[in-house]
Coordinates of all heavy atoms in Angstrom, one line a residue:
M1 N 8.8 22.6 4.7 CA 7.6 23.3 5.1 C 6.7 22.2 5.7 O 6.4 21.2 5.0 CB 7.0 23.9 3.9 CG 5.8 24.8 4.2 SD 5.2 25.6 2.7 CE 5.9 27.2 2.8
P2 N 6.1 22.4 6.8 CA 5.3 21.4 7.5 C 4.0 21.0 6.7 O 3.5 19.9 6.9 CB 4.9 22.0 8.8 CG 5.6 23.3 9.0 CD 6.2 23.6 7.7
G3 N 3.4 21.8 6.0 CA 2.1 21.5 5.4 C 2.2 20.9 4.0 O 1.2 20.6 3.4
T4 N 3.4 20.7 3.4 CA 3.5 20.2 2.1 C 3.6 18.7 2.1 O 4.0 18.1 3.0 CB 4.8 20.8 1.4 OG1 5.9 20.3 2.1 CG2 4.7 22.3 1.3
R5 N 3.3 18.1 1.0 CA 3.3 16.7 0.8 C 4.5 16.2 0.0 O 4.7 15.1 -0.3 CB 2.1 16.2 0.1 CG 0.8 16.6 0.8 CD -0.4 16.2 -0.1 NE -1.1 15.2 0.6 CZ -2.1 14.4 0.0 NH1 -2.3 14.6 -1.2 NH2 -2.7 13.5 0.7
D6 N 5.4 17.2 -0.3 CA 6.6 16.8 -1.2 C 7.6 16.0 -0.4 O 8.4 15.3 -1.0 CB 7.2 18.1 -1.7 CG 6.2 18.8 -2.7 OD1 5.3 18.1 -3.2 OD2 6.4 20.0 -2.9
H7 N 7.8 16.2 0.9 CA 8.8 15.6 1.6 C 8.3 14.6 2.6 O 7.3 14.9 3.3 CB 9.7 16.6 2.4 CG 10.3 17.6 1.4 ND1 11.3 17.3 0.6 CD2 9.9 19.0 1.2 CE1 11.6 18.4 -0.1 NE2 10.8 19.4 0.2
A8 N 8.9 13.4 2.7 CA 8.5 12.5 3.7 C 8.9 12.9 5.1 O 10.0 13.5 5.2 CB 9.1 11.1 3.4
R9 N 8.1 12.5 6.1 CA 8.5 12.9 7.5 C 9.7 12.0 7.9 O 9.8 10.9 7.6 CB 7.3 12.6 8.4 CG 6.2 13.6 8.1 CD 5.1 13.4 9.0 NE 5.4 12.9 10.3 CZ 4.5 12.5 11.2 NH1 3.2 12.6 11.0 NH2 4.9 12.1 12.4
A10 N 10.6 12.6 8.6 CA 11.8 11.9 9.1 C 11.4 10.9 10.1 O 12.1 9.8 10.2 CB 12.8 12.9 9.7
D11 N 10.4 11.1 10.9 CA 10.1 10.1 12.0 C 9.1 9.1 11.5 O 8.7 8.2 12.3 CB 9.5 10.9 13.2 CG 8.3 11.7 12.9 OD1 8.0 11.9 11.7 OD2 7.6 12.1 13.8
A12 N 8.6 9.1 10.3 CA 7.7 8.1 9.7 C 8.4 6.8 9.4 O 9.6 6.8 8.9 CB 7.0 8.7 8.4
P13 N 7.8 5.7 9.7 CA 8.5 4.4 9.5 C 8.5 4.2 8.0 O 7.7 4.6 7.2 CB 7.6 3.4 10.1 CG 6.3 4.0 10.2 CD 6.5 5.5 10.4
P14 N 9.5 3.5 7.5 CA 9.6 3.2 6.0 C 8.5 2.3 5.6 O 8.1 1.4 6.3 CB 11.0 2.5 5.9 CG 11.3 1.9 7.2 CD 10.6 2.8 8.2
Q15 N 7.9 2.6 4.4 CA 6.8 1.9 3.9 C 7.3 0.7 3.1 O 8.1 0.8 2.2 CB 5.9 2.8 3.1 CG 5.3 3.9 3.8 CD 4.3 3.4 4.8 OE1 3.5 2.5 4.6 NE2 4.2 4.1 6.0
D16 N 6.8 -0.5 3.4 CA 7.1 -1.7 2.6 C 6.2 -1.6 1.3 O 5.1 -1.2 1.4 CB 6.8 -3.0 3.4 CG 7.8 -3.2 4.5 OD1 8.9 -2.6 4.3 OD2 7.5 -3.9 5.4
S17 N 6.7 -2.2 0.3 CA 6.0 -2.2 -1.0 C 4.8 -3.2 -0.8 O 5.1 -4.3 -0.3 CB 6.9 -2.6 -2.1 OG 6.1 -2.8 -3.3
P18 N 3.6 -2.9 -1.3 CA 2.6 -3.9 -1.2 C 2.8 -5.0 -2.2 O 2.2 -6.1 -2.0 CB 1.3 -3.1 -1.6 CG 1.8 -1.9 -2.4 CD 3.2 -1.6 -1.8
D19 N 3.6 -4.9 -3.2 CA 3.8 -5.9 -4.2 C 5.3 -6.0 -4.5 O 5.8 -5.3 -5.4 CB 3.0 -5.7 -5.5 CG 3.1 -6.8 -6.4 OD1 3.5 -7.9 -6.0 OD2 2.7 -6.6 -7.6
P20 N 6.1 -6.8 -3.8 CA 7.6 -6.8 -4.0 C 7.9 -7.4 -5.3 O 9.0 -7.0 -5.9 CB 8.1 -7.7 -2.8 CG 6.9 -8.4 -2.3 CD 5.7 -7.6 -2.6
V21 N 7.1 -8.2 -5.9 CA 7.4 -8.8 -7.2 C 7.5 -7.6 -8.3 O 8.3 -7.6 -9.1 CB 6.4 -9.9 -7.6 CG1 6.7 -10.3 -9.0 CG2 6.6 -11.0 -6.7
S22 N 6.5 -6.7 -8.2 CA 6.5 -5.6 -9.1 C 7.8 -4.7 -9.0 O 8.3 -4.2 -10.0 CB 5.3 -4.7 -8.9 OG 4.1 -5.4 -9.2
D23 N 8.2 -4.6 -7.8 CA 9.5 -3.8 -7.6 C 10.7 -4.5 -8.2 O 11.5 -3.9 -8.9 CB 9.8 -3.7 -6.1 CG 8.8 -2.7 -5.4 OD1 8.2 -2.0 -6.1 OD2 8.8 -2.8 -4.1
V24 N 10.7 -5.8 -8.1 CA 11.8 -6.6 -8.7 C 11.7 -6.5 -10.3 O 12.7 -6.3 -10.9 CB 11.8 -8.1 -8.3 CG1 12.7 -8.9 -9.1 CG2 12.1 -8.2 -6.8
V25 N 10.5 -6.6 -10.8 CA 10.3 -6.5 -12.2 C 10.7 -5.1 -12.7 O 11.3 -5.0 -13.8 CB 8.9 -6.9 -12.6 CG1 8.6 -6.7 -14.1 CG2 8.7 -8.4 -12.3
R26 N 10.4 -4.1 -12.0 CA 10.7 -2.7 -12.4 C 12.2 -2.6 -12.5 O 12.8 -2.0 -13.4 CB 10.2 -1.7 -11.4 CG 8.8 -1.3 -11.8 CD 8.4 -0.1 -11.0 NE 7.0 -0.4 -10.5 CZ 6.7 -0.6 -9.2 NH1 7.6 -0.4 -8.3 NH2 5.5 -0.9 -8.8
W27 N 13.0 -3.1 -11.5 CA 14.4 -3.0 -11.5 C 15.0 -3.8 -12.7 O 16.0 -3.4 -13.3 CB 15.0 -3.4 -10.2 CG 15.0 -2.4 -9.2 CD1 14.2 -2.3 -8.1 CD2 15.8 -1.2 -9.1 NE1 14.4 -1.1 -7.4 CE2 15.4 -0.4 -8.0 CE3 16.8 -0.7 -10.0 CZ2 16.0 0.8 -7.7 CZ3 17.4 0.5 -9.6 CH2 17.0 1.2 -8.5
A28 N 14.4 -5.0 -12.9 CA 14.9 -5.8 -14.1 C 14.6 -5.1 -15.4 O 15.5 -5.1 -16.3 CB 14.1 -7.1 -14.0
A29 N 13.5 -4.4 -15.5 CA 13.2 -3.7 -16.8 C 14.2 -2.5 -16.9 O 14.7 -2.2 -18.0 CB 11.8 -3.1 -16.7
F30 N 14.5 -1.9 -15.8 CA 15.5 -0.8 -15.8 C 16.9 -1.4 -16.3 O 17.5 -0.7 -17.2 CB 15.7 -0.2 -14.4 CG 16.8 0.8 -14.3 CD1 16.6 2.0 -14.9 CD2 17.9 0.5 -13.6 CE1 17.7 3.0 -14.8 CE2 18.9 1.4 -13.5 CZ 18.8 2.7 -14.1
S31 N 17.2 -2.5 -15.9 CA 18.5 -3.1 -16.3 C 18.5 -3.6 -17.7 O 19.5 -3.5 -18.4 CB 18.9 -4.3 -15.4 OG 18.1 -5.4 -15.6
C32 N 17.3 -3.9 -18.2 CA 17.1 -4.3 -19.6 C 17.4 -3.1 -20.6 O 17.7 -3.3 -21.7 CB 15.7 -4.8 -19.9 SG 15.4 -6.5 -19.2
V33 N 17.2 -1.9 -20.1 CA 17.5 -0.7 -20.8 C 19.0 -0.3 -20.6 O 19.7 0.1 -21.5 CB 16.5 0.4 -20.5 CG1 16.9 1.7 -21.2 CG2 15.1 0.0 -20.9
L34 N 19.4 -0.3 -19.3 CA 20.7 0.2 -18.9 C 21.8 -0.6 -19.5 O 22.8 0.0 -20.0 CB 20.8 0.3 -17.4 CG 22.1 0.8 -16.8 CD1 22.2 2.3 -17.2 CD2 22.1 0.6 -15.3
V35 N 21.8 -1.9 -19.5 CA 22.9 -2.7 -19.9 C 23.2 -2.5 -21.4 O 24.3 -2.3 -21.8 CB 22.6 -4.2 -19.6 CG1 23.6 -5.1 -20.3 CG2 22.7 -4.4 -18.1
P36 N 22.2 -2.6 -22.3 CA 22.5 -2.4 -23.7 C 23.0 -0.9 -24.0 O 23.9 -0.8 -24.8 CB 21.2 -2.6 -24.5 CG 20.4 -3.4 -23.5 CD 20.8 -3.1 -22.2
V37 N 22.5 0.0 -23.3 CA 23.0 1.4 -23.5 C 24.5 1.5 -23.1 O 25.3 2.1 -23.8 CB 22.2 2.4 -22.7 CG1 22.8 3.8 -22.6 CG2 20.8 2.5 -23.3
T38 N 24.8 0.8 -22.0 CA 26.2 0.8 -21.5 C 27.1 0.0 -22.5 O 28.2 0.5 -22.8 CB 26.3 0.1 -20.1 OG1 25.4 0.8 -19.2 CG2 27.7 0.1 -19.6
L39 N 26.6 -1.0 -23.1 CA 27.3 -1.8 -24.1 C 27.6 -0.9 -25.3 O 28.7 -0.9 -25.9 CB 26.6 -3.1 -24.5 CG 26.6 -4.2 -23.4 CD1 25.7 -5.3 -23.9 CD2 28.0 -4.7 -23.1
L40 N 26.6 -0.2 -25.7 CA 26.8 0.7 -26.9 C 27.8 1.8 -26.6 O 28.6 2.2 -27.4 CB 25.5 1.4 -27.3 CG 24.5 0.4 -28.0 CD1 23.1 1.1 -28.2 CD2 25.0 -0.1 -29.3
I41 N 27.8 2.4 -25.4 CA 28.7 3.4 -25.0 C 30.1 2.8 -25.0 O 31.1 3.5 -25.3 CB 28.3 4.0 -23.6 CG1 27.1 4.8 -23.8 CG2 29.5 4.9 -23.0 CD1 26.5 5.3 -22.4
C42 N 30.3 1.6 -24.5 CA 31.6 1.0 -24.5 C 32.1 0.4 -25.8 O 33.2 -0.1 -25.9 CB 31.6 -0.2 -23.4 SG 31.4 0.4 -21.7
G43 N 31.3 0.6 -26.9 CA 31.8 0.2 -28.2 C 31.3 -1.1 -28.7 O 31.7 -1.5 -29.8
Q44 N 30.3 -1.7 -28.1 CA 29.7 -2.9 -28.6 C 28.9 -2.6 -29.8 O 28.4 -1.5 -29.9 CB 28.9 -3.6 -27.5 CG 28.2 -4.9 -27.9 CD 29.2 -6.0 -27.9 OE1 30.3 -6.0 -27.4 NE2 28.8 -7.1 -28.4
S45 N 28.7 -3.6 -30.7 CA 27.9 -3.3 -31.9 C 26.4 -3.2 -31.5 O 26.0 -3.7 -30.5 CB 28.1 -4.5 -32.9 OG 27.5 -5.6 -32.4
F46 N 25.7 -2.6 -32.4 CA 24.2 -2.5 -32.1 C 23.5 -3.8 -32.1 O 22.7 -4.1 -31.2 CB 23.6 -1.6 -33.2 CG 22.1 -1.4 -33.0 CD1 21.7 -0.5 -32.0 CD2 21.2 -2.1 -33.7 CE1 20.3 -0.3 -31.8 CE2 19.8 -1.9 -33.5 CZ 19.4 -1.0 -32.5
G47 N 23.9 -4.7 -32.9 CA 23.4 -6.1 -32.9 C 23.7 -6.8 -31.6 O 22.8 -7.5 -31.1
G48 N 24.9 -6.7 -31.2 CA 25.2 -7.3 -29.9 C 24.4 -6.8 -28.7 O 24.0 -7.5 -27.8
A49 N 24.3 -5.5 -28.7 CA 23.5 -4.8 -27.6 C 22.0 -5.2 -27.7 O 21.4 -5.5 -26.7 CB 23.6 -3.3 -27.7
A50 N 21.5 -5.3 -28.9 CA 20.1 -5.7 -29.1 C 19.9 -7.2 -28.7 O 18.9 -7.5 -28.1 CB 19.7 -5.5 -30.6
G51 N 20.8 -8.0 -29.0 CA 20.7 -9.4 -28.6 C 20.8 -9.5 -27.1 O 20.1 -10.4 -26.5
T52 N 21.6 -8.8 -26.5 CA 21.7 -8.8 -25.0 C 20.4 -8.3 -24.4 O 19.9 -8.9 -23.4 CB 22.9 -7.9 -24.5 OG1 24.1 -8.4 -25.1 CG2 23.0 -7.9 -23.0
A53 N 19.8 -7.2 -25.0 CA 18.6 -6.7 -24.5 C 17.5 -7.8 -24.6 O 16.7 -8.0 -23.7 CB 18.2 -5.4 -25.2
A54 N 17.4 -8.5 -25.7 CA 16.4 -9.5 -25.9 C 16.6 -10.6 -24.9 O 15.6 -11.2 -24.4 CB 16.5 -10.0 -27.4
G55 N 17.8 -11.0 -24.7 CA 18.1 -12.1 -23.7 C 17.7 -11.6 -22.3 O 17.1 -12.4 -21.5
L56 N 18.0 -10.4 -21.9 CA 17.6 -9.9 -20.6 C 16.0 -9.8 -20.5 O 15.5 -10.1 -19.4 CB 18.2 -8.5 -20.4 CG 19.7 -8.5 -20.0 CD1 20.2 -7.1 -20.0 CD2 19.9 -9.2 -18.7
V57 N 15.4 -9.4 -21.5 CA 13.9 -9.4 -21.5 C 13.3 -10.8 -21.3 O 12.4 -11.0 -20.5 CB 13.4 -8.7 -22.8 CG1 11.9 -8.9 -22.9 CG2 13.7 -7.2 -22.8
A58 N 13.9 -11.8 -22.0 CA 13.4 -13.1 -21.9 C 13.6 -13.7 -20.4 O 12.7 -14.3 -19.9 CB 14.1 -14.0 -22.9
V59 N 14.8 -13.4 -19.9 CA 15.0 -13.9 -18.5 C 14.1 -13.1 -17.5 O 13.6 -13.7 -16.6 CB 16.5 -13.6 -18.2 CG1 16.8 -13.8 -16.7 CG2 17.4 -14.6 -19.0
T60 N 13.9 -11.8 -17.7 CA 13.0 -11.1 -16.8 C 11.6 -11.6 -16.9 O 11.0 -11.8 -15.8 CB 13.0 -9.6 -17.2 OG1 14.4 -9.1 -17.1 CG2 12.1 -8.8 -16.4
C61 N 11.1 -11.9 -18.1 CA 9.7 -12.5 -18.2 C 9.6 -13.8 -17.5 O 8.6 -14.1 -16.8 CB 9.3 -12.6 -19.6 SG 9.1 -10.9 -20.4
A62 N 10.6 -14.7 -17.7 CA 10.6 -16.0 -17.1 C 10.7 -15.9 -15.5 O 9.9 -16.6 -14.8 CB 11.8 -16.8 -17.6
C63 N 11.5 -15.0 -15.0 CA 11.6 -14.8 -13.6 C 10.3 -14.3 -13.0 O 9.9 -14.7 -11.9 CB 12.8 -13.9 -13.2 SG 14.4 -14.7 -13.5
R64 N 9.7 -13.4 -13.7 CA 8.4 -12.8 -13.3 C 7.3 -13.9 -13.2 O 6.6 -14.0 -12.2 CB 7.9 -11.7 -14.2 CG 6.6 -11.1 -13.8 CD 6.2 -10.0 -14.8 NE 4.9 -9.4 -14.4 CZ 3.7 -9.9 -14.7 NH1 3.6 -11.0 -15.4 NH2 2.6 -9.3 -14.3
A65 N 7.3 -14.8 -14.2 CA 6.3 -15.9 -14.2 C 6.6 -16.8 -13.0 O 5.6 -17.2 -12.3 CB 6.4 -16.6 -15.5
V66 N 7.8 -17.1 -12.7 CA 8.2 -18.0 -11.6 C 7.8 -17.4 -10.3 O 7.3 -18.0 -9.4 CB 9.7 -18.4 -11.7 CG1 10.1 -19.1 -10.4 CG2 9.9 -19.3 -12.9
L67 N 8.1 -16.1 -10.1 CA 7.8 -15.4 -8.9 C 6.3 -15.3 -8.6 O 5.8 -15.5 -7.5 CB 8.4 -13.9 -8.9 CG 9.9 -13.8 -8.7 CD1 10.3 -12.4 -9.0 CD2 10.2 -14.2 -7.3
R68 N 5.5 -15.0 -9.7 CA 4.0 -15.0 -9.5 C 3.5 -16.4 -9.2 O 2.6 -16.5 -8.3 CB 3.4 -14.5 -10.8 CG 3.6 -13.1 -11.1 CD 2.9 -12.2 -10.1 NE 3.2 -10.8 -10.5 CZ 2.9 -9.8 -9.7 NH1 2.3 -10.0 -8.6 NH2 3.1 -8.6 -10.1
Q69 N 4.0 -17.4 -9.8 CA 3.6 -18.8 -9.4 C 3.9 -19.1 -8.0 O 3.1 -19.7 -7.3 CB 4.3 -19.8 -10.4 CG 3.9 -21.2 -10.1 CD 2.4 -21.5 -10.3 OE1 1.8 -20.9 -11.2 NE2 1.9 -22.4 -9.5
S70 N 5.1 -18.7 -7.5 CA 5.5 -18.9 -6.2 C 4.6 -18.2 -5.2 O 4.2 -18.7 -4.2 CB 6.9 -18.4 -6.0 OG 7.3 -18.5 -4.6
E71 N 4.2 -17.0 -5.5 CA 3.2 -16.2 -4.7 C 1.9 -16.9 -4.6 O 1.3 -17.0 -3.5 CB 3.0 -14.8 -5.2 CG 4.0 -13.8 -4.8 CD 3.6 -12.4 -5.3 OE1 2.9 -12.3 -6.3 OE2 4.1 -11.5 -4.6
R72 N 1.4 -17.4 -5.7 CA 0.1 -18.1 -5.7 C 0.2 -19.4 -4.9 O -0.7 -19.7 -4.1 CB -0.3 -18.5 -7.2 CG -0.8 -17.3 -7.9 CD -1.5 -17.7 -9.2 NE -0.6 -18.3 -10.1 CZ 0.1 -17.6 -11.1 NH1 -0.1 -16.3 -11.2 NH2 0.9 -18.3 -11.9
S73 N 1.3 -20.1 -5.0 CA 1.5 -21.4 -4.2 C 1.5 -21.1 -2.8 O 0.9 -21.8 -2.0 CB 2.7 -22.1 -4.7 OG 2.6 -22.5 -6.0
A74 N 2.2 -20.0 -2.4 CA 2.4 -19.7 -1.0 C 1.0 -19.3 -0.4 O 0.6 -19.6 0.7 CB 3.4 -18.6 -0.8
A75 N 0.2 -18.5 -1.2 CA -1.1 -18.0 -0.7 C -2.0 -19.2 -0.6 O -2.8 -19.3 0.3 CB -1.7 -17.0 -1.7
R76 N -1.9 -20.2 -1.5 CA -2.8 -21.4 -1.5 C -2.4 -22.2 -0.2 O -3.3 -22.7 0.5 CB -2.6 -22.2 -2.7 CG -3.6 -23.3 -2.9 CD -3.4 -24.1 -4.2 NE -3.3 -23.2 -5.4 CZ -2.3 -23.2 -6.2 NH1 -1.2 -24.0 -6.0 NH2 -2.2 -22.4 -7.2
A77 N -1.2 -22.4 0.0 CA -0.7 -23.2 1.2 C -1.2 -22.5 2.5 O -1.6 -23.2 3.4 CB 0.8 -23.4 1.2
L78 N -1.1 -21.2 2.5 CA -1.5 -20.4 3.7 C -3.0 -20.6 3.9 O -3.5 -20.7 5.1 CB -1.1 -19.0 3.6 CG -1.4 -18.1 4.8 CD1 -0.6 -18.6 6.0 CD2 -1.1 -16.6 4.5
A79 N -3.8 -20.5 2.9 CA -5.2 -20.6 3.0 C -5.6 -22.0 3.4 O -6.6 -22.2 4.2 CB -5.9 -20.3 1.6
E80 N -4.9 -23.0 3.0 CA -5.2 -24.4 3.4 C -4.9 -24.6 4.9 O -5.5 -25.4 5.6 CB -4.5 -25.4 2.5 CG -5.0 -25.5 1.1 CD -4.2 -26.4 0.3 OE1 -3.1 -26.9 0.7 OE2 -4.6 -26.6 -0.9
Q81 N -3.9 -23.9 5.4 CA -3.5 -24.1 6.8 C -4.5 -23.4 7.7 O -4.8 -23.9 8.8 CB -2.1 -23.5 7.1 CG -1.0 -24.3 6.5 CD 0.3 -23.7 6.7 OE1 0.4 -22.5 7.2 NE2 1.4 -24.4 6.3
T82 N -5.1 -22.3 7.3 CA -6.0 -21.5 8.2 C -7.4 -22.0 8.2 O -8.1 -21.8 9.2 CB -6.0 -20.0 7.8 OG1 -6.4 -19.9 6.4 CG2 -4.6 -19.4 8.0
V83 N -7.9 -22.7 7.2 CA -9.2 -23.2 7.1 C -9.3 -24.7 7.6 O -8.6 -25.5 6.9 CB -9.8 -23.1 5.7 CG1 -11.2 -23.7 5.6 CG2 -9.8 -21.7 5.2
P84 N -10.0 -25.0 8.7 CA -10.0 -26.4 9.1 C -10.9 -27.2 8.2 O -11.8 -26.8 7.6 CB -10.6 -26.3 10.5 CG -11.4 -25.0 10.5 CD -10.7 -24.1 9.6
H85 N -10.5 -28.5 8.1 CA -11.3 -29.4 7.3 C -12.6 -29.8 8.0 O -12.6 -30.2 9.2 CB -10.4 -30.7 7.0 CG -11.1 -31.6 6.1 ND1 -11.3 -31.3 4.8 CD2 -11.5 -32.9 6.3 CE1 -11.9 -32.4 4.2 NE2 -12.0 -33.3 5.1
R86 N -13.7 -29.7 7.3 CA -15.0 -29.9 8.0 C -15.6 -31.2 7.7 O -16.7 -31.5 8.1 CB -16.0 -28.8 7.5 CG -15.6 -27.4 8.0 CD -16.6 -26.4 7.6 NE -17.9 -26.7 8.1 CZ -18.9 -26.0 7.9 NH1 -18.8 -24.9 7.1 NH2 -20.1 -26.3 8.3
G87 N -14.9 -32.1 7.1 CA -15.5 -33.5 6.9 C -15.9 -33.7 5.5 O -15.8 -32.8 4.6
R88 N -16.5 -34.9 5.3 CA -16.9 -35.3 4.0 C -17.9 -34.4 3.3 O -17.8 -34.1 2.1 CB -17.4 -36.7 4.1 CG -17.7 -37.3 2.7 CD -18.0 -38.8 2.9 NE -18.5 -39.3 1.6 CZ -19.0 -40.5 1.5 NH1 -19.0 -41.3 2.5 NH2 -19.4 -40.9 0.4
R89 N -18.9 -34.1 4.0 CA -20.0 -33.3 3.4 C -20.1 -31.8 3.9 O -21.0 -31.1 3.7 CB -21.3 -34.0 3.6 CG -21.4 -35.3 2.9 CD -22.8 -35.7 2.8 NE -22.9 -36.8 1.9 CZ -22.9 -38.1 2.2 NH1 -22.8 -38.4 3.5 NH2 -23.0 -39.1 1.3
G90 N -19.1 -31.4 4.7 CA -19.0 -30.1 5.1 C -19.9 -29.7 6.3 O -20.2 -28.6 6.6
R91 N -20.4 -30.8 7.0 CA -21.3 -30.5 8.1 C -20.6 -30.5 9.4 O -19.6 -31.2 9.5 CB -22.4 -31.6 8.2 CG -23.3 -31.5 7.0 CD -24.4 -32.5 7.1 NE -25.4 -32.5 6.0 CZ -26.1 -33.5 5.6 NH1 -26.0 -34.6 6.2 NH2 -26.9 -33.3 4.6
T92 N -21.1 -29.9 10.4 CA -20.5 -29.9 11.7 C -21.5 -30.5 12.7 O -22.7 -30.6 12.4 CB -20.2 -28.4 12.2 OG1 -21.4 -27.7 12.2 CG2 -19.1 -27.8 11.3
G93 N -21.1 -30.8 13.9 CA -22.0 -31.3 14.9 C -22.0 -32.8 14.9 O -21.3 -33.5 14.2
T94 N -23.0 -33.4 15.6 CA -23.0 -34.8 15.8 C -24.1 -35.5 15.0 O -24.3 -36.7 15.1 CB -23.3 -35.2 17.3 OG1 -24.5 -34.6 17.7 CG2 -22.1 -34.7 18.1
G95 N -24.8 -34.7 14.2 CA -25.8 -35.3 13.3 C -27.2 -35.1 13.8 O -28.1 -35.9 13.5
A96 N -27.5 -34.2 14.7 CA -28.9 -34.0 15.2 C -29.8 -33.6 14.1 O -31.0 -33.8 14.3 CB -28.8 -33.0 16.3
H97 N -29.4 -33.0 13.1 CA -30.3 -32.5 12.0 C -30.2 -33.3 10.8 O -30.4 -32.7 9.7 CB -30.0 -31.0 11.7 CG -30.1 -30.1 12.9 ND1 -31.3 -29.8 13.4 CD2 -29.2 -29.5 13.7 CE1 -31.2 -29.0 14.5 NE2 -29.9 -28.8 14.7
R98 N -29.9 -34.5 10.8 CA -29.8 -35.3 9.6 C -31.0 -36.1 9.2 O -31.0 -36.8 8.3 CB -28.6 -36.3 9.8 CG -27.3 -35.6 9.9 CD -26.2 -36.6 9.8 NE -24.9 -35.9 9.9 CZ -23.8 -36.4 9.8 NH1 -23.7 -37.7 9.5 NH2 -22.7 -35.7 9.9
G99 N -32.1 -35.9 9.9 CA -33.4 -36.5 9.6 C -33.5 -37.9 10.2 O -32.7 -38.3 11.0
G100 N -34.5 -38.6 9.8 CA -34.7 -39.9 10.4 C -35.4 -39.9 11.7 O -35.9 -38.8 12.2
R101 N -35.5 -41.0 12.4 CA -36.3 -41.0 13.7 C -35.3 -40.6 14.8 O -34.2 -40.9 14.8 CB -36.8 -42.5 13.9 CG -37.8 -42.8 12.9 CD -38.3 -44.2 13.3 NE -39.4 -44.6 12.4 CZ -40.7 -44.6 12.7 NH1 -41.0 -44.4 14.0 NH2 -41.6 -45.0 11.9
H102 N -35.9 -40.0 15.8 CA -35.2 -39.6 17.0 C -35.8 -40.3 18.2 O -37.0 -40.4 18.4 CB -35.3 -38.1 17.2 CG -34.8 -37.2 16.1 ND1 -33.5 -37.1 15.9 CD2 -35.4 -36.5 15.2 CE1 -33.3 -36.3 14.8 NE2 -34.5 -36.0 14.4
P103 N -34.9 -41.0 19.0 CA -35.4 -41.7 20.1 C -36.1 -40.8 21.2 O -35.6 -39.7 21.4 CB -34.2 -42.4 20.7 CG -33.0 -41.6 20.2 CD -33.5 -41.0 18.9
G104 N -37.1 -41.3 21.8 CA -37.8 -40.5 22.9 C -38.5 -39.3 22.3 O -38.5 -38.3 23.0
G105 N -39.0 -39.3 21.2 CA -39.6 -38.2 20.6 C -40.8 -37.7 21.4 O -41.5 -38.4 22.0
S106 N -41.1 -36.4 21.3 CA -42.3 -35.9 22.0 C -43.2 -35.4 20.9 O -42.9 -35.0 19.8 CB -41.9 -34.7 22.9 OG -41.3 -33.7 22.1
T107 N -44.5 -35.5 21.3 CA -45.5 -35.0 20.3 C -46.0 -33.7 20.8 O -45.9 -33.3 21.9 CB -46.7 -36.0 20.3 OG1 -47.2 -36.1 21.6 CG2 -46.2 -37.4 19.9
P108 N -46.7 -32.9 19.9 CA -47.1 -31.6 20.3 C -48.2 -31.6 21.4 O -48.3 -30.6 22.1 CB -47.7 -31.0 19.0 CG -47.2 -31.9 17.9 CD -46.8 -33.2 18.5
G109 N -48.9 -32.7 21.6 CA -49.9 -32.8 22.6 C -49.3 -33.0 24.0 O -50.0 -32.9 25.0
E110 N -48.1 -33.4 24.2 CA -47.6 -33.7 25.5 C -47.2 -32.5 26.2 O -46.6 -31.6 26.0 CB -46.4 -34.6 25.4 CG -46.8 -36.0 24.9 CD -45.6 -36.9 24.8 OE1 -44.6 -36.7 25.5 OE2 -45.6 -37.8 24.0

């Protein structure tokens, strides 16, 4: 039906995720549940499946931390490349407004 929001349009371009790290973490969390359930179905003991789940959770958390750190480093490097260095005190120009005497000064009476 053309007026409903339930179905995506066939000619619409695929949408990229705004946060790919969250997508990876969601899939990892899904596997943290799926793998122990599969082990239990295949006859593994409950303790073995729980240990496997704990290991997967630990690896998922470590990978998430590394991915977030990598994103921050990449954003920092990109920001440093786009902002030019303005010098020691952040001033621009040749120093016309730095105070002191100016040669050939004019007085208000001239």
Side-chain angles (χ1 to χ4, degrees):
M1 188 180 260
T4 63
R5 300 175 115 193
D6 295 336
H7 302 289
R9 290 179 33 186
D11 59 346
Q15 297 292 324
D16 289 336
S17 174
D19 189 13
V21 174
S22 293
D23 289 343
V24 170
V25 172
R26 272 191 229 114
W27 279 106
F30 175 71
S31 71
C32 288
V33 173
L34 182 65
V35 170
V37 169
T38 304
L39 288 174
L40 288 173
I41 290 172
C42 291
Q44 182 75 12
S45 69
F46 181 76
T52 301
L56 286 172
V57 168
V59 169
T60 298
C61 290
C63 289
R64 180 182 180 272
V66 170
L67 284 169
R68 292 290 182 191
Q69 179 64 33
S70 175
E71 276 187 334
R72 285 191 297 268
S73 297
R76 191 177 313 121
L78 183 64
E80 288 175 357
Q81 288 177 353
T82 58
V83 177
H85 184 65
R86 292 182 59 180
R88 182 173 173 184
R89 291 197 172 95
R91 293 183 177 153
T92 60
T94 60
H97 298 287
R98 291 192 182 184
R101 295 183 176 251
H102 299 288
S106 61
T107 60
E110 291 181 26

